[in-house]
Amino acid sequence: MREVVYEASEVRRARYAVAAVFAVHGAVTGSFATRVPWIQDHASLSTGQLGFALAFTAFGASCSMPLAGWISHRFGSRTALRGLIALWTLSLILPSLAPNLYTLCLAMFVYGSSAGMADVAMNALGVEVERLLDKSIMSGLHGMWSTGALIGSAAGTLAAHLGSDARLHFALAAAALTLLGVLACRWVLDLQPAEDEEPPPRFALPPRSALLIGAVGFCAVFAEGASLDWSAVYLRDRLEASAGLAAASTTGFMLTMAVARLAGDAAVNRFGAVRTVRAGGVLAALGGLLIVLAGHPAAAMGGFALMGLGIAVVVPLCFAAAGRSGANPSQAIAGVATITYTSGLIAPSLIGGVAQATSLMVSFCLVTVLACGLAVFGGVLRAGERDRPKVSPQAAAVPDPRP
């Protein structure tokens, strides 16, 4: 990238702007998740057909993520993010328009592709702002994503409760979120490639530097996907909890992750990424043990809360480490994102397959083992110490503006 000296105020505005983009990105996901039952009924799908269609989200994201680096190189980071976040917010409309399985699969592929490209672009900008501030901010940015997802989910729940048509709901949400996302992009950093810099390939395998970092992210996302999709089922089927209490377990897990991410930067700045991830791995493993050994719903809910607390900051720190691990941050981030999205794709089905063959308790024994991997292999996030920030002298005293 072309070397640029930024004023402290520019970096501060860029941090707020990227945080807003993260929140917008999360709000789209939260809005969609609440209307999946409406989409299933509208397209007349069985449970198996719905699962098949939803898999195209992760498939589209994995296929498109490597494109994000090339787009940012071609158009500059600000223009690229503005276009990609608008594509992502507007793609929210597509699933509600699908009348059958085939059109829904296509809609979910486009939806996932735009999600993945916007994800890589905004994380790459977040890593650059973090480098300029010389302090951890990625956990807070992902906390803003979780906050946006909760807000979008709350709005979607209200829309579903009122019986509104998802086509109208998604159209209004997409219009509002597109406006907010495009406006926020006005203040993000406009990174431009150096004149002699070669453009990254449109499609490429994850670089070697991203593989080990991606493996750590894989463990965290596997635990996240398993907990989100199976926590309510675990409490209902194994511990005979009521439907309301089982659902509260999932909500508690999401809230724990959101709060931990918003507060996670303070821990990272004080203890470093490696020690924070290793401590998180211990907490997640203890949570897994509590889930497996629980004889009462309250104990299992505590275990899922500990699991959320332990894994919350891992993925943000994996993206930050990937962005510092090589000469092409976008390509490395795309590699890690592809690995973690793959983990999110296979986790729910693998947990279900193991549970079918054995039991849900055995499935969460597997989750606990992977959580231990965070403590054992967290040292790979030491890769690429932050460079000296390229900001003007006035930036030396930049306050800590939490998003």
Side-chain angles (χ1 to χ4, degrees):
M1 285 294 175
R2 187 179 302 166
E3 297 292 331
V4 179
V5 177
Y6 295 99
E7 295 291 335
S9 58
E10 291 181 90
V11 180
R12 190 161 48 242
R13 283 195 302 268
R15 180 179 181 179
Y16 286 126
V18 173
V21 172
F22 269 79
V24 167
H25 195 287
V28 175
T29 302
S31 299
F32 170 78
T34 58
R35 306 311 304 270
V36 170
W38 187 97
I39 292 169
Q40 180 181 13
D41 292 341
H42 180 67
S44 302
L45 303 179
S46 67
T47 302
Q49 289 174 324
L50 177 64
F52 178 75
L54 293 177
F56 277 77
T57 306
F59 180 56
S62 299
C63 291
S64 69
M65 280 175 172
L67 268 175
W70 179 85
I71 293 172
S72 295
H73 183 279
R74 174 69 177 80
F75 298 102
S77 62
R78 182 182 295 162
T79 300
L81 183 59
R82 183 183 290 123
L84 292 174
I85 199 68
L87 180 64
W88 164 232
T89 52
L90 292 173
S91 72
L92 174 63
I93 300 171
L94 297 179
S96 67
L97 303 178
N100 54 51
L101 174 64
Y102 305 106
T103 53
L104 183 59
C105 288
L106 179 60
M108 297 314 300
F109 183 87
V110 175
Y111 176 85
S113 296
S114 57
M117 290 188 290
D119 198 333
V120 171
M122 69 188 192
N123 273 284
L125 275 170
V127 168
E128 180 64 14
V129 173
E130 179 177 88
R131 184 184 71 83
L132 292 169
L133 290 172
D134 198 29
K135 64 176 70 176
S136 175
I137 67 166
M138 290 300 291
S139 179
L141 293 180
H142 282 253
M144 289 298 294
W145 188 96
S146 297
T147 302
L150 286 170
I151 293 172
S153 176
T157 299
L158 177 61
H161 179 72
L162 295 174
S164 67
D165 191 303
R167 289 168 291 192
L168 175 61
H169 167 208
F170 283 177
L172 293 175
L177 293 173
T178 300
L179 178 62
L180 290 173
V182 170
L183 283 176
C185 288
R186 179 179 179 182
W187 292 282
V188 301
L189 298 178
D190 191 18
L191 307 178
Q192 298 290 339
E195 293 182 2
D196 58 346
E197 184 178 340
E198 290 291 327
R202 289 180 174 84
F203 294 98
L205 293 174
R208 186 177 302 174
S209 62
L211 294 179
L212 288 177
I213 297 171
V216 174
F218 182 97
C219 295
V221 173
F222 192 98
E224 179 180 351
S227 298
L228 281 174
D229 288 358
W230 287 97
S231 56
V233 177
Y234 191 92
L235 264 74
R236 184 195 65 190
D237 291 357
R238 185 166 186 272
L239 300 174
E240 299 180 350
S242 66
L245 192 61
S249 177
T250 304
T251 303
F253 174 82
M254 292 178 64
L255 284 172
T256 302
M257 284 197 66
V259 171
R261 282 177 169 174
L262 288 171
D265 288 322
V268 176
N269 286 320
R270 180 168 183 178
F271 302 110
V274 173
R275 281 192 286 179
T276 301
V277 168
R278 284 177 171 164
V282 171
L283 287 176
L286 289 175
L289 283 174
L290 190 55
I291 293 167
V292 170
L293 299 176
H296 189 275
M301 291 176 72
F304 283 114
L306 273 179
M307 183 77 72
L309 182 65
I311 66 176
V313 301
V314 177
V315 171
L317 293 179
C318 286
F319 283 136
R324 302 191 303 266
S325 66
N328 193 320
S330 292
Q331 186 178 354
I333 290 171
V336 170
T338 300
I339 294 171
T340 56
Y341 266 68
T342 301
S343 177
L345 173 63
I346 68 172
S349 57
L350 183 58
I351 291 295
V354 173
Q356 182 69 29
T358 55
S359 69
L360 269 176
M361 185 180 72
V362 175
S363 294
F364 276 90
C365 286
L366 173 61
V367 174
T368 304
V369 171
L370 289 176
C372 292
L374 300 176
V376 175
F377 300 110
V380 302
L381 301 188
R382 190 177 288 112
E385 295 295 330
R386 286 193 292 271
D387 299 327
R388 186 179 298 276
K390 295 178 175 59
V391 294
S392 64
Q394 293 93 324
V398 173
D400 186 18
R402 298 288 173 186

